[in-house]
Amino acid sequence: MTRAFFSALLPVLTITAMILAVWYVGAFSLNSKWSKDQAARAGETLTVSELIASTMSQDRPRLATPHQIAIELWDSVIDKKVTSKRSLVFHGWVTLSATLLGFVIGTALGVLLAVGIVHDRAMSLGVMPWAIASQAIPILALAPMIIVVLHSVGLTGLFPKAIISAYLSFFPVVVGMVSGLRSPDPISMDVLHTYAASRWQIFWKLRLPASLPYLFTSLKIGIAASLVGAIVGELPTGAVAGLGARLLVGSYYGQTVQIWSALIAAATLAALLVGLIGWIQKLTLRRMGMD
Amino acid sequence: MTFLVTALIIWLLAWRLNAFLAIQAQQKLMGFVVPALFGLTVLIIWELLVIGLAVPGVILPAPTAIVVAFSTNIHILWDDLVQTFFKGALAGYTIGCGSAFLTAIAIDRSTFLKRGLLPVGNFLAALPIVGTAPIFVMWFGFGWQSKAAVVVAMVYFPMLVNMVQGLSASEAMQRDLMKTYGASYWQTMAKLKLPAAMPFAFNGLKICTTLSLIGAIVAEFFGSPILGMGFRISTEVGRLALDVVWAEIIVAAAIGTMFYGLVTGCERGVTFWHPSIRGQSAP
């Protein structure tokens, strides 16, 4: 137990502590100018300890300190009612629902297209280069347009954001799933041919199981991209609700602590989602004897 | 109605033609012709559908309208490109990838730090870092510097993780060989570890090309001077001038692909020895 602790956890904790230390030093140096200005205006001089205390507890610091963010998170996650507009759980749920809906749509379409590409040569030659090239394109730039266009067609709320999430998770799934479905080695394919298996049987019994590790890797990339898509999708709607809206409102009013807490919430959400898929991956692959 | 029927016929014809071409013998030529034909068909059908269904330009402009918008606004598009790509994205990309590269080399000697950094770095690389944009805009102002800072934050960890993995990619046997040659640490680094890390480094560099453009464009949604690709997209969307938006997206797509292609080209030159490259160039 202690051995595992030292080899795995301790390095991670050390790095985290280093990041926190750099963060506090950064907060001190970035925030001290404001504190000094305030003191000079009041005609006072600050001692070092007063200066440190002041930089750690500003209302609108240039760099919010970790403990300020933790307090804000506690206030807006635990203390507020979930239905309140000031609750991060409420905003997180708005973003999460768009993310999940989009992720499911994008993944389903991606898998379908991948199946088509693997079974149809014309599709493979015609579509695949575009799918690969699309990964070099900043498709996130389309987000504002999709929101506005769908708005003018009468679609508002959850769905436009879900569309952005969907197309951000779509391409990684297509590319990963195609290489997954093509991953069975020729010997396994030959065995199924000697069994006179139909295309359909080859697909269910060999291609699909073989593609799962690739699929899960793409899903992890896809869900993280979906979340970013949902957040960015919330920016042009005028910041009504969601983590993206919290970011935008925070940046309008200089509420840095609020920006940081929304960021941490988004980060936690991303980590949870990726972790969840990793867990499902582990369970599935273990049941299939591939782990 | 005739437009719709024409679109349908063209679609069916192109489908048959592609299916026919795809089973032809000249693999190399067809690998180029078939996707080009597919793209062309999509464009033609798009054009015909927009005309046939009388789709208003504020929902979906026709490809010809986009081309017109592109050519009339070419100066604006170029200025936006310079501001967003050459100043914001490229500066951030260079600084971010460069410092990640140096960090990886600096911590390479310590297994302890590496073991801690990989999980933390992987975690941070998966986060929606683009959300830090409002903070950087607050710190560095509306100019390209804040965009470069966002890009640095976005590309640093993916690059670092890849580079750290790359530096441990050399095999124990190879390192032992360097030891028997009496090679110093830096000689081993220069002659063995860095070359062995190059496939990983380029993997990181390729991921970061797209990230850098996304970072620079999205950061402009949070505040920017009156030029830049993200600024143009968000304001023209507001004015419902979607043909200009599409023209801007074409520019973004073109520069993204070219940047990616450039890095891939460098990769082929540097990691010519790697099986994945050797296998492709074999006649």
Side-chain angles (χ1 to χ4, degrees):
Chain A
M1 177 60 212
T2 41
R3 242 200 128 122
F5 174 79
F6 278 113
S7 68
L9 205 56
L10 196 62
V12 175
L13 288 178
T14 314
I15 294 285
T16 316
M18 277 167 65
I19 292 177
L20 283 180
V22 171
W23 192 327
Y24 271 110
V25 173
F28 172 73
S29 52
L30 278 169
N31 297 341
S32 59
K33 187 173 175 295
W34 188 84
S35 297
K36 279 178 189 160
D37 284 353
Q38 286 298 103
R41 231 166 270 163
E44 298 162 3
T45 43
L46 293 171
T47 63
V48 176
S49 59
E50 278 173 342
L51 184 61
I52 291 175
S54 155
T55 54
M56 295 296 132
S57 58
Q58 291 172 3
D59 272 349
R60 293 177 181 190
R62 281 172 72 82
L63 176 55
T65 54
H67 68 262
Q68 281 179 308
I69 300 165
I71 292 169
E72 166 79 16
L73 274 174
W74 181 270
D75 281 350
S76 51
V77 173
I78 314 283
D79 272 2
K80 293 277 184 311
K81 262 200 217 128
V82 179
T83 47
S84 158
K85 283 230 164 183
R86 301 184 63 182
S87 163
L88 263 187
V89 180
F90 167 77
H91 291 285
W93 169 247
V94 170
T95 305
L96 180 66
S97 50
T99 306
L100 290 180
L101 179 61
F103 177 68
V104 170
I105 297 174
T107 307
L109 290 179
V111 170
L112 277 181
L113 184 64
V115 171
I117 284 177
V118 168
H119 287 100
D120 186 89
R121 236 188 109 61
M123 247 173 120
S124 157
L125 278 175
V127 180
M128 205 47 197
W130 295 104
I132 293 174
S134 72
Q135 298 209 305
I137 298 171
I139 31 182
L140 204 57
L142 284 162
M145 188 175 65
I146 291 179
I147 297 282
V148 169
V149 166
L150 289 182
H151 186 88
S152 65
V153 190
L155 279 172
T156 48
L158 183 71
F159 200 65
K161 290 189 278 176
I163 299 256
I164 295 169
S165 292
Y167 77 61
L168 280 175
S169 55
F170 174 71
F171 290 109
V173 170
V174 172
V175 174
M177 196 65 186
V178 165
S179 27
L181 288 173
R182 287 199 173 135
S183 66
D185 45 9
I187 295 187
S188 319
M189 294 292 281
D190 283 348
V191 168
L192 284 190
H193 277 303
T194 58
Y195 291 162
S198 67
R199 276 186 143 196
W200 188 245
Q201 284 168 324
I202 292 181
F203 177 76
W204 283 111
K205 297 203 189 299
L206 178 60
R207 283 193 192 270
L208 193 65
S211 72
L212 284 185
Y214 294 81
L215 177 65
F216 278 115
T217 312
S218 313
L219 288 184
K220 281 190 209 162
I221 302 171
I223 193 116
S226 283
L227 184 66
V228 175
I231 291 175
V232 173
E234 280 158 2
L235 299 180
T237 49
V240 188
L243 294 174
R246 294 286 280 187
L247 287 177
L248 199 62
V249 170
S251 88
Y252 281 164
Y253 299 108
Q255 298 286 358
T256 37
V257 182
Q258 184 190 322
I259 298 179
W260 278 106
S261 60
L263 263 181
I264 301 287
T268 318
L269 210 52
L272 284 179
L273 290 172
V274 174
L276 181 69
I277 289 181
W279 182 67
I280 297 174
Q281 173 183 25
K282 223 172 185 176
L283 282 187
T284 317
L285 294 189
R286 191 175 294 158
R287 280 296 293 269
M288 293 172 64
M290 292 169 88
D291 196 20
Chain B
M1 195 61 205
T2 43
F3 285 107
L4 295 185
V5 176
T6 325
L8 192 70
I9 291 171
I10 287 181
W11 178 58
L12 286 173
L13 280 180
W15 179 273
R16 293 300 307 162
L17 182 60
N18 254 351
F20 169 74
L21 287 175
I23 50 169
Q24 294 304 301
Q26 292 107 337
Q27 284 299 315
K28 223 167 202 172
L29 185 67
M30 291 310 143
F32 175 76
V33 172
V34 174
L37 193 63
F38 177 81
L40 196 67
T41 315
V42 170
L43 281 184
I44 293 174
I45 292 175
W46 176 353
E47 178 86 33
L48 290 175
L49 284 185
V50 168
I51 300 173
L53 297 173
V55 179
V58 291
I59 290 179
L60 187 67
T64 43
I66 297 169
V67 172
V68 171
F70 185 87
S71 53
T72 47
N73 292 306
I74 193 110
H75 290 291
I76 297 178
L77 293 176
W78 173 251
D79 290 344
D80 290 344
L81 180 68
V82 170
Q83 167 79 12
T84 303
F85 180 71
F86 290 104
K87 287 184 182 165
L90 211 53
Y93 182 81
T94 318
I95 299 172
C97 290
S99 51
F101 191 87
L102 295 179
T103 316
I105 292 178
I107 66 163
D108 177 57
R109 280 189 158 180
S110 158
T111 358
F112 182 79
L113 284 184
K114 270 195 291 186
R115 254 209 310 257
L117 202 86
L118 270 182
V120 176
N122 264 323
F123 172 75
L124 290 174
L127 296 186
I129 301 217
V130 73
T132 52
I135 293 161
F136 284 115
V137 170
M138 222 172 269
W139 285 357
F140 298 103
F142 283 172
W144 61 268
Q145 292 86 346
S146 59
K147 281 70 197 177
V150 174
V151 174
V152 169
M154 276 183 82
V155 302
Y156 184 77
F157 286 104
M159 184 66 197
L160 184 65
V161 169
N162 271 291
M163 199 57 206
V164 167
Q165 275 175 338
L167 285 178
S168 24
S170 58
E171 285 163 31
M173 193 84 95
Q174 297 167 325
R175 287 196 295 270
D176 283 351
L177 183 65
M178 294 307 276
K179 249 180 215 146
T180 60
Y181 290 161
S184 71
Y185 173 77
W186 288 111
Q187 279 171 326
T188 313
M189 180 59 92
K191 309 261 181 207
L192 172 64
K193 284 190 158 187
L194 275 182
M198 279 306 131
F200 291 85
F202 274 102
N203 186 30
L205 286 174
K206 282 196 282 191
I207 296 172
C208 292
T209 54
T210 321
L211 284 179
S212 68
L213 265 175
I214 290 178
I217 291 177
V218 173
E220 285 176 357
F221 295 161
F222 284 96
S224 127
I226 52 160
L227 75 171
M229 296 161 85
F231 167 81
R232 192 74 54 205
I233 287 172
S234 54
T235 45
E236 296 295 333
V237 161
R239 294 173 50 204
L240 292 178
L242 287 197
D243 44 354
V244 183
V245 177
W246 276 101
E248 197 75 65
I249 285 166
I250 291 174
V251 175
I255 197 72
T257 324
M258 272 172 357
F259 193 16
Y260 192 88
L262 187 73
V263 175
T264 315
C266 294
E267 181 185 24
R268 283 167 169 271
V270 174
T271 62
F272 57 89
W273 45 270
H274 196 263
S276 67
I277 306 285
R278 263 191 337 212
Q280 282 176 3
S281 56

